[in-house]
Amino acid sequence: MIMVQKYHSIHEIDVEFIPALEILLQEEIPYFDKLVQEHDEAPVEHSFTYFLFFGHTQNTPIGFAQARVTTIHSAGVLPWHKKMLGPLSKKNKNLKQVTWKVFDGGSGYGVFDSRFYRSCRDKMNSLLHDYEIRPEIQAEEFYCIKGSFEVKAPWPQIQSQKFEQYILEPYMKAHKTYPEYLSSLKKETQIDIKSQWKEINQSGEIKLGDYPDLSEAPKYIPLSQDKIDYWQAHGASLLTFEKDLEILGCVIVLQGKNGNIFFESMPFESQDEMIIHDDLYIQYALLKFFEMDSAKKAHILRNGEKLLFNHPDEIDYFAHQGFSVRTIEHHYFSRCPYLTSPV
């Protein structure tokens, strides 16, 4: 039997559960504070509920799910002739959408211990129903890994949409060294990557910086002190591309649990004058990854989240460098004729 404990704020979750949650979410986020940050920086229209799943013999979480309820300002969605009819009805005044996804949606609506996956998945049906019967919930957005969940329409008369999206999977360390990794790629990809490395090495103008301690990073790096302090507090390190007294770009390195390493590229050059191209940010991250003995999986982030694509051909650039994708189903249901797409 699966039991669920509900929290209406991330700050209410018992401190004793956080280490277990970090292990459970180890392939989603580098540390629990990423969820705290998402909660605290959310717009005022958003409210969150967090669900911790427990087995009947465990006192540590075996599953985690999240619902985000968004209040929709009816003035922005109702047609003009509805607004002209006088005071809005209670139904139209309090339009809300519930979104089911954990962080960036890479694992869908929830993350569960594989031993209890089916039981937790079945328990999700009752959680969904609890929200779907609320009169103010007029739309539902739902993420799931393709084929993992039978998604049913929550209301008899609805508008519905279904999208397939593609999230970048982590690169799993399948080779001992970076040169071995390069040798495993297609010949044309090898030539392209090597020529880019050769170009910046031969110029003699580009320096590769590696700062395990952020306090030792160049003071002229174009990042706010708040960001640097935040990353430093979480043990991040920094890789840089430097030219004279200018930082052309950097890669933030965040060490998660059990060998999961998260890399986020930050180019500072203008698009039309780039010396360092996107390939090299990924390759510098992987070069560092292979130097880390405990590293097992390399996660590539953009704006703090995993890379999500709407078309499979967009992944070719990363596939050539050894990455793969996971297909996510993105469902949207609405029982309000004026809510036609997710907010």
Side-chain angles (χ1 to χ4, degrees):
M1 180 180 179
I2 301 296
M3 296 171 287
V4 175
Q5 197 161 330
K6 185 190 308 185
Y7 302 87
H8 292 295
S9 169
I10 198 78
H11 299 288
E12 295 175 356
I13 295 177
D14 304 70
V15 175
E16 65 179 294
F17 296 145
I18 291 178
L21 287 173
E22 287 188 322
I23 297 298
L24 193 65
L25 300 169
Q26 63 185 337
E27 293 198 24
E28 312 307 315
I29 52 177
Y31 36 75
F32 186 76
D33 200 36
K34 292 296 289 183
L35 286 174
V36 177
Q37 185 180 34
E38 179 190 48
H39 174 279
D40 291 348
E41 295 180 358
V44 294
E45 295 85 0
H46 293 179
S47 61
F48 295 88
T49 301
Y50 305 91
F51 304 91
L52 270 58
F53 294 69
F54 297 86
H56 68 281
T57 59
Q58 286 86 13
N59 193 35
T60 56
I62 59 170
F64 178 87
Q66 174 183 307
R68 185 189 74 211
V69 175
T70 303
T71 299
I72 302 167
H73 299 296
S74 53
V77 297
L78 293 181
W80 67 269
H81 62 275
K82 285 288 182 181
K83 301 173 189 176
M84 295 290 288
L85 294 178
L88 295 172
S89 68
K90 185 176 181 180
K91 179 179 178 181
N92 285 335
K93 189 175 182 180
N94 297 305
L95 304 176
K96 293 186 178 181
Q97 172 186 300
V98 60
T99 298
W100 296 93
K101 71 170 182 175
V102 173
F103 200 56
D104 52 28
S107 286
Y109 54 84
V111 179
F112 309 110
D113 185 316
S114 60
R115 295 170 297 173
F116 306 95
Y117 180 82
R118 181 169 295 184
S119 299
C120 291
R121 183 190 62 185
D122 294 343
K123 187 69 175 178
M124 278 295 301
N125 286 322
S126 63
L127 298 181
L128 294 170
H129 182 68
D130 289 345
Y131 280 79
E132 291 161 358
I133 62 175
R134 298 181 186 180
E136 74 272 19
I137 299 296
Q138 292 291 302
E140 182 174 54
E141 186 181 22
F142 189 90
Y143 289 71
C144 65
I145 299 170
K146 185 175 182 178
S148 68
F149 194 84
E150 185 181 357
V151 181
K152 298 179 181 179
W155 306 294
Q157 293 182 337
I158 63 165
Q159 303 176 69
S160 66
Q161 299 175 35
K162 176 184 172 182
F163 318 91
E164 283 195 355
Q165 295 179 299
Y166 309 89
I167 198 158
L168 192 70
E169 292 272 54
Y171 176 82
M172 298 181 67
K173 187 179 281 186
H175 306 279
K176 291 183 178 180
T177 66
Y178 179 73
E180 287 181 13
Y181 152 75
L182 272 185
S183 297
S184 72
L185 303 179
K186 290 183 178 179
K187 200 68 178 177
E188 54 268 31
T189 305
Q190 291 184 46
I191 293 171
D192 183 46
I193 292 171
K194 289 177 180 178
S195 66
Q196 290 189 57
W197 281 125
K198 184 178 180 180
E199 184 178 342
I200 67 167
N201 287 332
Q202 287 186 340
S203 73
E205 298 178 341
I206 308 299
K207 172 192 170 186
L208 300 180
D210 186 347
Y211 303 95
D213 186 341
L214 281 181
S215 66
E216 299 174 356
K219 302 303 180 186
Y220 46 84
I221 188 168
L223 291 171
S224 70
Q225 192 59 46
D226 286 346
K227 278 191 173 181
I228 293 174
D229 291 344
Y230 177 82
W231 285 319
Q232 189 169 3
H234 290 88
S237 56
L238 183 72
L239 308 174
T240 59
F241 293 98
E242 304 176 27
K243 182 181 179 183
D244 299 326
L245 294 178
E246 181 184 4
I247 306 295
L248 303 178
C250 70
V251 180
I252 299 294
V253 184
L254 303 165
Q255 295 201 40
K257 303 294 183 182
N258 294 328
N260 286 279
I261 314 297
F262 296 77
F263 299 91
E264 179 161 8
S265 302
M266 294 185 179
F268 301 131
E269 301 176 89
S270 61
Q271 284 283 347
D272 54 347
E273 297 179 354
M274 289 185 72
I275 298 174
I276 309 301
H277 297 286
D278 291 343
D279 278 354
L280 278 188
Y281 285 94
I282 295 174
Q283 290 303 311
Y284 195 7
L286 291 176
L287 176 63
K288 183 65 177 178
F289 175 68
F290 280 100
E291 291 176 354
M292 303 169 74
D293 292 337
S294 60
K296 297 177 182 177
K297 297 181 180 180
H299 303 258
I300 305 299
L301 306 180
R302 180 183 294 155
N303 298 323
E305 297 188 348
K306 295 182 180 180
L307 277 64
L308 189 67
F309 307 93
N310 292 319
H311 302 285
D313 55 357
E314 293 176 326
I315 198 64
D316 288 349
Y317 167 77
F318 296 93
H320 293 155
Q321 297 180 67
F323 290 87
S324 60
V325 295
R326 176 189 300 172
T327 304
I328 302 295
E329 290 182 350
H330 181 183
H331 296 265
Y332 177 73
F333 303 103
S334 170
R335 54 177 167 173
C336 173
Y338 315 118
L339 298 178
T340 57
S341 60
V343 295

